[in-house]
Amino acid sequence: MATIVLGVIGSDVHAIGNRILEYAFTEAGFKVINLGVLTTQKEFVQAAIETDAGAILVSSLYGHGEIDCRGLREMCIEAGIGDILLYVGGNLVVGKQKWEPVRDKFLAMGFDRVFPPGTMPDEAIALLKQDLGVS
Amino acid sequence: MALYLLADVGSTWTKLTAVDDTGSVVARASAPTTVSTDIMQGFNAALSEVRTQAGKKEDKIYACSSAAGGLAMIACGLVPELTGQAAKLAVLGAGAKVLRVYGYNLNRDDIKEIESLRPDILLLAGGTDGGNTRFLLENAQALAAKVKPLPVVLAGSRNAVHEAAEILEAAGFSVEITGNVMPELNKLDIEPARGSIRNLFLRHIVRAKGMETLSRSLAAPLIPTPAAVLAAGKLLAQEIGQLLMVDVGGATTDVYSYGGVEVPTGMMRKGLEPPWDMRTVEADIGMRYSLSSLVEQAGLENILAQAPQEEQWRQELEKILASPGRLVSPGLEGLEMNLARAAVRISLLRHAGTVERIYSPTGAVDVLTGKDLRAIKTVIGIGGVMVNSPEPRGILAMGNEGLLPENPRLMLDSKYIMAAAGLLAGDQPRLASRMLADSLATL
Ligand code: B12
């Protein structure tokens, strides 16, 4: 089964959702490389290279997602893994904002899928299997 | 009564120590190392001297060597901070000298450099188990195509090592496949690689360095000198708990730590988990051959601080820089001490990890990278600079800086016994610890 890299980006310390995602994706058969909270873009990219991951799943809960996530796709391209799947979810922006503009902003940054607050892991698991072509 | 002979074949001197089975040193002798003719010449000269002193023939001989350049290696990994660092730590932990560390794909310049450096052994890593295999295979191909065969330890992704071995063996390389230095992300496992380096050292390097005859007379395999020092420190740490040792030499400063791997409560670790017994070597920090870079790192003004007559020290420093063989002039030992102190401080700070405090609205989080040495209770000084100093305490005593030990007990290997004791650490640990106890002086 495919390897995925998981972590909470930037100075964000919200750890609970991260553990739930690790558990859920492992149960679903993925090899999960969990970098935990306080993960930098560089750590995500380096881990993905070394482990030959098929996707990077980024969480951001504390409202600074936009600043933290900007440039991640470019860094992947620089590092030679430009084709890797990038997912992001959590509470991506401050407060309750209209979802579509938020989603579009992150899609424009180069994320393949963007998940709104409160997304259940199963939903993402099904989409990831589809995107990776595994069952 | 049994007599053990412990030989340290150094780059310039071959030093022999004889101990009886109470662990007392009964004889010591040295002779110039004769690497250009036959290593046995110098060895035998010291041997007959030591036998005369002891009044009898030895029962067993153990030896380590750093002659003919020591064990010189190159490490290749994938991501420099991950398998690159893991490969480097494995090489250092085997007692070898690291000539270069490469990451990602070896390019043509790297290949040319490897060919001109001609390491004794190359360690090829890259990829976690189940992880990346492409870089390891491509690097094996590049080496096979362009580099004259050399011994290679394959310590990369388990899913690629066999194929990489085939590629290299087809080109005439001798290869040993071993466990991955980083089987899982950020998890270090360097023991298997260390073992394989020892094997290849014995199988290929001992003969190449003209030490086969010596090797045949030994009770245990010949090992690189730093490996003997590592073993001595490990034995000591098992007895007295976590410790740190620093060896300030002319060209490099070596640091050995045992412990410092626990993450203190309230802290969070990021990056590679450091090995419990860790050796680092600072190639730009030394008292003679690396003096200019040491002074640069330390800052000239810091070296000259507290000089009774600054101009005098400055001139002396210039003379030493111009001729590294020079001993410091009488009366100016303070300069030598300041230099050694700077070497210790810089090397220990590089060996230790770091903490970064990240502030959030709910409070601070401390993120730890590398080793936290603060709880280490003992720091041991090794080497001529400290043994010959009128004030070794002044060289070793550090402020409570960064993650360095907080108010440790300072000790000195006053009789240069580390390497010799390390040679007995495996077979005769009781004798080895007596030798250490006898040499270690609390400062
Ligand atoms: C517990 C908590 C904390 C704890 C965290 C403890 C810990 N070690 O985890 C503490 C007290 C430390 C904390 C601090 C802060 N918090 Co807080 N915290 C919460 C709280 C109450 C619960 C978070 C939680 O654990 N939820 C349960 C888990 C299971 O859900 P989850 O994290 O959302 O994750 C799930 C999904 O979102 C999804 N998911 C998440 N990531 C991804 C990624 C992908 C790819 C996919 C597919 C899915 C996915 O799957 C997860 C599992 O089901 C939330 C409010 C809330 N009810 O959500 C606020 C909240 C997240 N915190 C908030 C804020 C502002 C902060 C602080 C900045 C200051 C403050 N006011 O306290 C600091 C920031 C500290 C820092 N540097 O990170 C805000 C964020 C606002 C925003 N984004 O606009 C929230 C929403 C509260 C609020 N309504 O204001 N917090």
Side-chain angles (χ1 to χ4, degrees):
Chain A
M1 188 55 117
T3 300
I4 61 168
V5 171
L6 178 71
V8 185
I9 200 165
S11 309
D12 196 333
V13 299
H14 291 92
I16 301 158
N18 171 264
R19 300 232 181 85
I20 291 175
L21 290 170
E22 175 179 4
Y23 177 80
F25 278 84
T26 305
E27 282 296 294
F30 288 93
K31 176 158 175 62
V32 180
I33 311 292
N34 189 3
L35 302 176
V37 301
L38 295 171
T39 298
T40 62
Q41 288 195 0
K42 192 172 162 191
E43 287 172 314
F44 277 110
V45 174
Q46 291 182 332
I49 294 173
E50 203 75 75
T51 61
D52 210 17
I56 296 176
L57 273 62
V58 178
S59 292
S60 177
L61 286 311
Y62 70 160
H64 304 290
E66 195 183 334
I67 301 165
D68 289 340
C69 292
R70 210 181 281 151
L72 181 60
R73 173 61 76 190
E74 286 75 8
M75 192 185 267
C76 289
I77 295 170
E78 282 294 348
I81 53 166
D83 296 340
I84 196 165
L85 281 176
L86 293 182
Y87 283 16
V88 67
N91 304 309
L92 293 174
V93 290
V94 177
K96 291 227 181 311
Q97 300 186 21
K98 258 188 91 195
W99 174 241
E100 286 72 24
V102 173
R103 182 197 60 199
D104 291 346
K105 210 182 286 177
F106 281 82
L107 288 175
M109 271 187 229
F111 284 90
D112 297 286
R113 290 191 187 274
V114 187
F115 298 90
T119 302
M120 285 292 132
D122 284 349
E123 196 182 319
I125 287 168
L127 288 166
L128 184 60
K129 285 186 174 170
Q130 188 185 312
D131 288 351
L132 288 171
V134 294
S135 49
Chain B
M1 203 180 239
L3 191 70
Y4 300 94
L5 198 69
L6 311 165
D8 176 1
V9 185
S11 47
T12 46
W13 291 94
T14 298
K15 290 156 277 185
L16 265 55
T17 304
V19 293
D20 63 18
D21 49 18
T22 69
S24 312
V25 174
V26 296
R28 290 191 106 165
S30 46
T33 297
T34 45
V35 79
S36 53
T37 49
D38 175 0
I39 204 101
M40 293 312 283
Q41 269 178 359
F43 179 81
N44 286 331
L47 181 64
S48 53
E49 160 89 35
V50 103
R51 282 177 179 167
T52 312
Q53 280 181 34
K56 62 186 280 198
K57 204 171 162 277
E58 70 287 341
D59 296 280
K60 280 180 176 175
I61 307 179
Y62 295 83
C64 59
S65 166
S66 53
L71 170 58
M73 291 188 58
I74 280 176
C76 302
L78 173 44
V79 175
E81 290 90 339
L82 298 172
T83 46
Q85 179 67 5
K88 181 180 175 186
L89 286 171
V91 166
L92 287 169
K97 187 179 339 181
V98 184
L99 298 176
R100 282 287 185 286
V101 183
Y102 297 102
Y104 305 110
N105 277 118
L106 294 166
N107 72 11
R108 279 183 216 173
D109 289 341
D110 301 337
I111 292 287
K112 252 189 243 154
E113 199 173 46
I114 293 172
E115 190 56 54
S116 73
L117 288 168
R118 286 306 296 170
D120 295 320
I121 301 174
L122 184 144
L123 183 132
L124 187 56
T128 52
D129 287 347
N132 189 290
T133 55
R134 181 168 73 89
F135 287 86
L136 187 76
L137 294 173
E138 287 178 359
N139 284 340
Q141 250 140 13
L143 289 166
K146 295 270 167 46
V147 172
K148 277 196 237 78
L150 33 92
V152 172
V153 172
L154 270 172
S157 171
R158 67 186 296 276
N159 310 88
V161 281
H162 293 98
E163 201 180 329
E166 279 166 23
I167 294 167
L168 289 164
E169 276 164 354
F173 286 64
S174 19
V175 175
E176 181 154 322
I177 294 177
T178 196
N180 194 344
V181 286
M182 200 183 79
E184 275 182 57
L185 194 83
N186 289 333
K187 294 265 181 296
L188 208 65
D189 185 17
I190 59 178
E191 216 39 58
R194 284 181 179 181
S196 294
I197 293 168
R198 276 197 293 273
N199 292 344
L200 287 187
F201 177 71
L202 278 179
R203 231 181 299 142
H204 301 280
I205 309 308
V206 167
R207 178 148 40 100
K209 305 237 175 210
M211 281 179 256
E212 210 178 20
T213 320
L214 171 63
S215 172
R216 269 198 299 265
S217 63
L218 301 181
L222 181 76
I223 54 174
T225 304
V229 176
L230 253 169
K234 186 171 178 181
L235 178 70
L236 202 57
Q238 281 157 356
E239 283 168 13
I240 67 170
Q242 303 190 55
L243 63 92
L244 184 65
M245 314 200 296
V246 55
D247 182 351
V248 181
T252 66
T253 299
D254 294 22
V255 182
Y256 305 79
S257 65
Y258 306 84
V261 291
E262 269 112 86
V263 183
T265 41
M267 273 199 201
M268 209 190 112
R269 178 184 291 297
K270 278 280 169 185
L272 217 57
E273 251 174 37
W276 176 80
D277 53 338
M278 181 164 105
R279 170 175 177 249
T280 52
V281 175
E282 304 310 327
D284 60 337
I285 303 294
M287 296 295 289
R288 289 297 180 268
Y289 301 97
S290 320
L291 187 56
S292 61
S293 44
L294 165 60
V295 173
E296 201 174 292
Q297 290 284 322
L300 184 61
E301 63 291 354
N302 294 322
I303 297 293
L304 298 180
Q306 305 124 31
Q309 284 173 299
E310 198 182 299
E311 201 40 45
Q312 204 183 13
W313 278 28
R314 192 190 300 275
Q315 280 171 17
E316 181 74 11
L317 192 58
E318 265 157 31
K319 285 184 205 152
I320 302 173
L321 281 166
S323 55
R326 189 187 164 91
L327 295 175
V328 73
S329 304
L332 301 185
E333 291 83 5
L335 170 62
E336 187 89 335
M337 186 177 127
N338 266 11
L339 290 168
R341 193 180 155 69
V344 167
R345 178 175 167 272
I346 294 169
S347 305
L348 291 187
L349 282 173
R350 288 190 194 165
H351 184 94
T354 52
V355 193
E356 194 195 350
R357 179 155 285 190
I358 295 178
Y359 290 97
S360 74
T362 42
V365 196
D366 289 325
V367 177
L368 170 70
T369 332
K371 281 196 166 189
D372 177 6
L373 306 174
R374 287 175 301 173
I376 287 186
K377 293 276 177 286
T378 310
V379 176
I380 300 172
I382 308 175
V385 193
M386 272 177 267
V387 175
N388 298 325
S389 169
E391 224 192 307
R393 209 189 145 77
I395 298 175
L396 277 181
M398 297 288 118
N400 291 340
E401 192 178 352
L403 296 180
L404 298 187
E406 287 173 348
N407 311 311
R409 160 177 66 160
L410 303 178
M411 300 184 100
L412 182 67
D413 175 25
S414 65
K415 298 180 180 165
Y416 298 100
I417 214 73
M418 278 297 160
L423 287 172
L424 277 184
D427 279 7
Q428 300 285 344
R430 236 167 21 90
L431 298 195
S433 31
R434 282 214 210 118
M435 292 167 71
L436 290 167
D438 190 44
S439 177
L440 289 177
T442 303
L443 298 172

